[in-house]
Every structure is written in structure tokens, then in C-alpha cells.
Amino acid sequence: MKGVTISTSYPVQKTATPAVEKPKGKFLNYIHNFRGLAILFVVGGHILLEWDTDSFSKKVLDAVWQNGTVLFIFIAGYLFQYLSKKYETTNYWLKKIRYVLIPYLIISIPAIVLRIYQPLYDTLVLYPGFEEWSLLKKIGYYYVSGSHLLPLWFIPMITIFYAIAPVLIKIDRNPRAYYILPLLVVISLIVPRDELNNIPKMFVHFLSVYIFGMFFSHFNDQILKWSSKYWLFLTLSTVALMIATIVTDSWYDPLMYLQKIFLCWFFVYWLWHFDEHVPTSLGTKTLADYSFGIFFLHYYFLLAIKLGFEYSFPSLLKGSVLNWSINFGLIMILNIACIALAKRVLGKQSRYLIGC
């Protein structure tokens, strides 16, 4: 890819960078790599939810890995806009039903069966008469709220974005509508991410992230050129927000939101900048290809490993960086092996089961 010259103030030798142009329809390797990184943040953050001790190392890991959902939703918005020239409503909805909602319905079955007989304490508090509900009402509640397995609230929430796709297309085709983005950011700062199974609330909170992804894609050339000039501001701002998230408690949620927004920008810029130098052996392509499957399956593996540790080694490595690292490695290895096996056995039909 033909490059542009970098000034001598750049933190690398004077070489050519990837061109900024983003021809519609071209495969975006750096965005695909970003998707591979994003799923690591989702998994890493969920493992930390099982950490029952409080320490400085926990705060650092939390600041880095929590709320990886922002990265996932940003990418969804970016790719929605990027592919918008091919958008046709019926075809778009059918694809989402086939490759997102059908896997969600299937993957949810084991968790829903468990929750029918062992409801979560939070569910019983929220709905005191839950145990007297009919079987169909319980199943419907779980599917609509995603509360049967912690990460799965994401699917009912992202389904709202799929449903309003025609409105989002109109926004993108009238670029002045993007002026609403600062207001949406303020709303996200006011409406916290504190009730994951309150799907309308989560939609409101993450709307700014999805629109920001669309905005970034729409103005990709300009943003990357600006970022090439002000890369130091972008990098230092991202690091500063990360540090602020670690050292403060009062503004933790707003800072977490802002630093993950900046992290999206940070990753897109640097992955684009070094696009030609990212080796395929790094594994980000495989992670990206398997990302939806990893999302659907990883919490099952997390719970199984947790139960195994509690039964066999109840005090071993509990609440430590080493424990987190071992869990992370085991979950990713098991996930990828399971997905590879499913794809080998089912071929293309695996998309209907695990989303990839």
C-alpha cells in the first residue's frame, strides 16, 4: 500500500505509513485485528468479576480490562457504517437472525435450564414472585433480559440496534446528524452501566458508543490524518485516563467509559499505522474470526473452571494475578479448541450454533 511520509518527530524511523484511504468494500485488516483484541478485553473483564479480593493489582486489571463491551460495540457501529452502501433492510435483518439471534437461542438453553431450577438471587429480589411464574414466562424473561448467563445481556441490547438500523442509515446519510454525538456522550456519562439486565437502560448508555463507531468510519480518512499529526495527544490522553481510572473511586464509571472510548480510537489508529507490520502469526485474525463464538461460549468455560478450582483446590491462587492469568489462558485455549472442533464437524453450519 502506498504510504505518506512521516515527520522526524515520529517515534519510529522515517518510513512510510499505510495510506489513509478507506475504499468501500475493501477488507479492513486493522479493524479485523481490533476485533480480535476486543474479545480479549471482554473475556479478561469477566474473569475479574469472579475475583473476590480487593487489592491494587485488582484495580489495575479492572482499569485495563473491564468494560470491553465498549470496544465490541464501537466495532459493530464502525462496520455497520462501513458496509452501509450494501445495506438492504430485509437482508440485513435476516443475517442478524441467522448468525446472532439463532445462536443466542441455542447457546442459552443450558443456562436457562439451570436458572429455571436455580434462579439467581438478584432475579428473586427483583421479582419476588418469580418462582410462581409459568415456565414459558420464565423462559421468555431470560431470553428478553439475557440474565441467565452474565455476558448474554449484550444480545437483547444489540438487537435494538439491529431493529433501528433504518434510522441509523438515515443518520449516516445525513452527516449533519452526527452533531448529536456530543449530547449522546453526555447522556452516557449520566446514565451509568450499572444494571446489565435493564436492556433499555443499557441501550441508552451504549448508544453513543455505536454512533461514535459509525462516525469514526464515516470520517475515517480525516480522523486518521488528524491522529497522525496528534498521535502524542491521543496516546497520552488514553494513558492518562487509564491511570485516572486506577487512582480514583469517585468518578470511576465516567472515567471507565471515557478511557474505553479513547482506547477504541487509540487501537484503530495504531493498528492502522502498523497494519503492514502486524504478523498473521500474532493470532489476532483467528481471535477475530472466532470472536462471536468466544463471546457465546467463554462464560460457560469460566464457570466450569471456577467450579473445578473450588472443588479441587479451594484456596489455590485465589484472587491473584497468577490465578487470573491461568484462568484467562485456559478459557481461551478451551474456547478456541471447541470452536475449531465445531467448525470442523459442522462446516459453515457452525454459524447457526456458535455465531462463527
Side-chain angles (χ1 to χ4, degrees):
M1 190 183 296
K2 218 169 182 179
V4 293
T5 304
I6 309 172
S7 69
T8 55
S9 62
Y10 219 79
V12 292
Q13 292 183 344
K14 194 171 181 178
T15 56
T17 64
V20 175
E21 289 81 4
K22 183 191 68 169
K24 292 292 180 185
K26 179 174 179 173
F27 180 76
L28 297 180
N29 189 57
Y30 58 95
I31 296 297
H32 198 60
N33 285 332
F34 183 24
R35 180 153 55 183
L37 291 176
I39 194 61
L40 293 179
F41 279 80
V42 172
V43 175
H46 287 158
I47 296 171
L48 286 168
L49 296 176
E50 302 298 329
W51 192 333
D52 59 2
T53 60
D54 192 16
S55 64
F56 181 72
S57 57
K58 169 73 158 49
K59 290 192 73 173
V60 172
L61 289 173
D62 270 339
V64 174
W65 295 98
Q66 290 289 14
N67 207 8
T69 306
V70 169
L71 281 62
F72 231 50
I73 294 176
F74 171 89
I75 293 168
Y78 186 107
L79 291 175
F80 174 77
Q81 191 285 328
Y82 184 73
L83 300 171
S84 60
K85 282 196 172 180
K86 299 178 180 179
Y87 174 83
E88 192 280 317
T89 300
T90 302
N91 186 51
Y92 173 80
W93 281 342
L94 285 174
K95 284 184 176 180
K96 296 306 179 185
I97 291 170
R98 289 173 187 155
Y99 305 134
V100 179
L101 298 185
I102 289 178
Y104 170 63
L105 294 176
I106 296 171
I107 289 294
S108 295
I109 291 172
I112 289 179
V113 170
L114 174 64
R115 297 307 178 200
I116 293 294
Y117 296 100
Q118 283 189 331
L120 291 167
Y121 174 76
D122 290 348
T123 302
L124 297 178
V125 170
L126 191 60
Y127 302 102
F130 180 83
E131 292 183 295
E132 281 71 52
W133 288 8
S134 69
L135 179 61
L136 285 179
K137 185 175 180 180
K138 289 178 181 177
I139 292 172
Y141 166 75
Y142 283 128
Y143 274 123
V144 170
S145 68
S147 59
H148 47 291
L149 197 66
L150 188 141
L152 295 185
W153 65 269
F154 178 86
I155 302 301
M157 190 272 297
I158 201 69
T159 300
I160 301 177
F161 287 99
Y162 301 155
I164 66 168
V167 177
L168 298 174
I169 286 291
K170 288 184 179 179
I171 289 174
D172 186 63
R173 291 175 183 171
N174 179 21
R176 289 187 178 182
Y178 282 117
Y179 282 121
I180 197 175
L181 185 54
L183 175 60
L184 295 178
V185 170
V186 172
I187 291 172
S188 292
L189 292 170
I190 294 172
V191 178
R193 179 186 181 270
D194 59 355
E195 298 177 67
L196 295 182
N197 302 126
N198 184 337
I199 302 304
K201 185 177 182 179
M202 291 301 93
F203 168 75
V204 170
H205 175 78
F206 285 109
L207 180 59
S208 64
V209 180
Y210 196 93
I211 298 294
F212 178 52
M214 291 173 56
F215 169 82
F216 201 117
S217 177
H218 190 106
F219 298 102
N220 189 76
D221 297 359
Q222 298 94 313
I223 293 173
L224 290 179
K225 285 177 181 176
W226 189 94
S227 303
S228 293
K229 188 175 181 180
Y230 298 105
W231 61 268
L232 187 59
F233 166 78
L234 169 61
T235 303
L236 291 180
S237 297
T238 306
V239 173
L241 284 166
M242 191 79 72
I243 293 171
T245 311
I246 296 170
V247 300
T248 188
D249 294 321
S250 303
W251 297 91
Y252 180 84
D253 288 336
L255 285 170
M256 177 64 79
Y257 165 83
L258 289 173
Q259 62 114 320
K260 286 301 184 288
I261 287 288
F262 267 80
L263 196 63
C264 291
W265 183 1
F266 173 90
F267 274 135
V268 172
Y269 171 67
W270 286 110
L271 286 170
W272 164 77
H273 177 69
F274 290 111
D275 192 30
E276 294 179 350
H277 306 288
V278 177
T280 54
S281 59
L282 191 64
T284 49
K285 182 182 184 303
T286 299
L287 289 173
D289 291 342
Y290 288 6
S291 59
F292 246 111
I294 293 171
F295 170 80
F296 278 128
L297 295 174
H298 76 276
Y299 211 77
Y300 281 116
F301 288 115
L302 190 159
L303 293 176
I305 290 170
K306 179 187 175 187
L307 287 173
F309 269 98
E310 287 181 350
Y311 179 76
S312 304
F313 310 101
S315 60
L316 180 64
L317 306 174
K318 202 162 183 70
S320 70
V321 175
L322 183 58
N323 174 253
W324 178 84
S325 302
I326 290 173
N327 274 276
F328 195 107
L330 283 173
I331 289 167
M332 294 306 301
I333 290 169
L334 292 171
N335 242 310
I336 291 171
C338 182
I339 293 168
L341 178 62
K343 290 175 72 68
R344 186 178 182 85
V345 172
L346 300 174
K348 292 182 180 180
Q349 301 305 312
S350 66
R351 293 190 70 182
Y352 293 98
L353 177 64
I354 54 175
C356 67

